Amino acid sequence: MSMSSDNQADWSFYEKSGLTPVINVSGTMTSLGASIAVSRAVEAVAGILPRFVFMHELQRMASDTIAEATGAEAGFITASASAGISLSVAATITGMDAGRAELLPRRPGEKCEAVVQLGHLCNYGAPVGQAAELAGARLVPFGQSTHVLDHQLQAVLGEATACGLYVVSHHVVGYGQMPLPRFAELCHAAGVPVIVDAASEYDLRRFLREGADLVIYSAHKFLGGPTAGIVAGRRDLVRAAYLQNLGIGRGMKVGKESIFGTIAALKAWAARDHDGIRRREAAALALWQKALAGLAGVRAEIVPDPTGNPLDRLRISVDSSAAGASAMAIGVALAGERPAVIVRDHEAELGYIQLDPCNLDAGHAEIVADRLRAVFESAAQGAVEEPDPDQLRNRSASGYLAWLEE
Ligand SMILES: *Cc1c(COP(=O)(O)O)cnc(C)c1O
């Protein structure tokens, strides 16, 4: 779908392709194709696809761009942030030993433990721990889910520790965790490098400043790049992670288009009108808030991003006895509209859904306002069905299980 300059959504792509039209107010979701790529990334992808290049040269160019954007010594592009985690962990196990890299995940050796606080072992579509284990690492969780003390980390750091893994995300437990600067200080005191999964974080410099030796970002989330992952950090570790492409990294191969497209997205990010985008997002939130005003059992408030990204969302709390349907049912009903309106519903069991304005194309905000009002009105008339909560909870797996069934 092209960004049209007028206020009309352009749905012709969906008509021509036969795919279901989608408006994404849930955030950058793999299940929806991540994000709307910025035009400079789209042009870069199209420009390089029909040409040959020397891939090491292209990755060297990526390293320079990543270094400039993050303050890191070096960097490279891989298939996804998840791949970046696997390759980074592998780097701390093998260093620059190509023979050992080729043997992974077999024979990782004694020094193969990845220490991680228990509350960070989240699922972003797949378990983060598995991304480390793919490299042959042995996971060593420490602390309790909501209670992490210094001595618990110190007790698991030792000769066998290859790395400390740290996850920054709304998916991790939100309180009682060890902050990154302290995590890095304790790991470094034991001579252990720190890998930070910051896949979804806007701040490209903060985690390296706070002690990360390697940091990983997604190219296809806030940056609006093609599907790819960015690894940035210490030159020796970046080189060792890049080396893994002759081993486990092969199945995580990144194409020339994703590397060149990510370089373009990083450059576009530096030049982006962040204030203008925030103003547009704020206008969408205000429009939706107004559309919901006066509805019985509905409270709409603007809430900040839980990990501190410069992004606000609209939280719609639903009192089901007054509104005629639960927050969960409203979310399901909006997804059943055409275009499908996909809301942020991972906390719907707590009685609210959220609307994320960071992936709106022209005309989307108005359609969402309209659909919101309509779905709440039909809920008030008792016309919105309650979904099965267990079915919803299992949804991330059931989509894969049911695919090509019948
Ligand atoms: C999205 C996400 C990932 C996975 O990123 P991909 O680039 O899609 O592999 C990993 N960690 C966190 C915290 C994420 O939010």
Side-chain angles (χ1 to χ4, degrees), residues 58-77:
L58 183 58
Q59 285 279 25
R60 179 179 279 272
M61 182 185 284
S63 180
D64 289 343
T65 307
I66 293 166
E68 195 174 315
T70 63
E73 290 173 5
F76 73 100
I77 312 288

Side-chain angles (χ1 to χ4, degrees), residues 28-30 34 79-85 122-126 128 167-172 197-201 216-221 227-230:
T28 51
M29 298 294 159
T30 288
S80 62
S82 201
I85 295 167
C122 65
N123 185 305
Y124 48 68
V128 66
V167 183
V168 185
S169 173
H170 69 278
H171 293 300
V172 306
D197 171 9
S200 209
E201 302 308 300
I216 294 136
Y217 295 95
S218 283
H220 48 269
K221 292 188 175 175
T227 303
I230 298 166

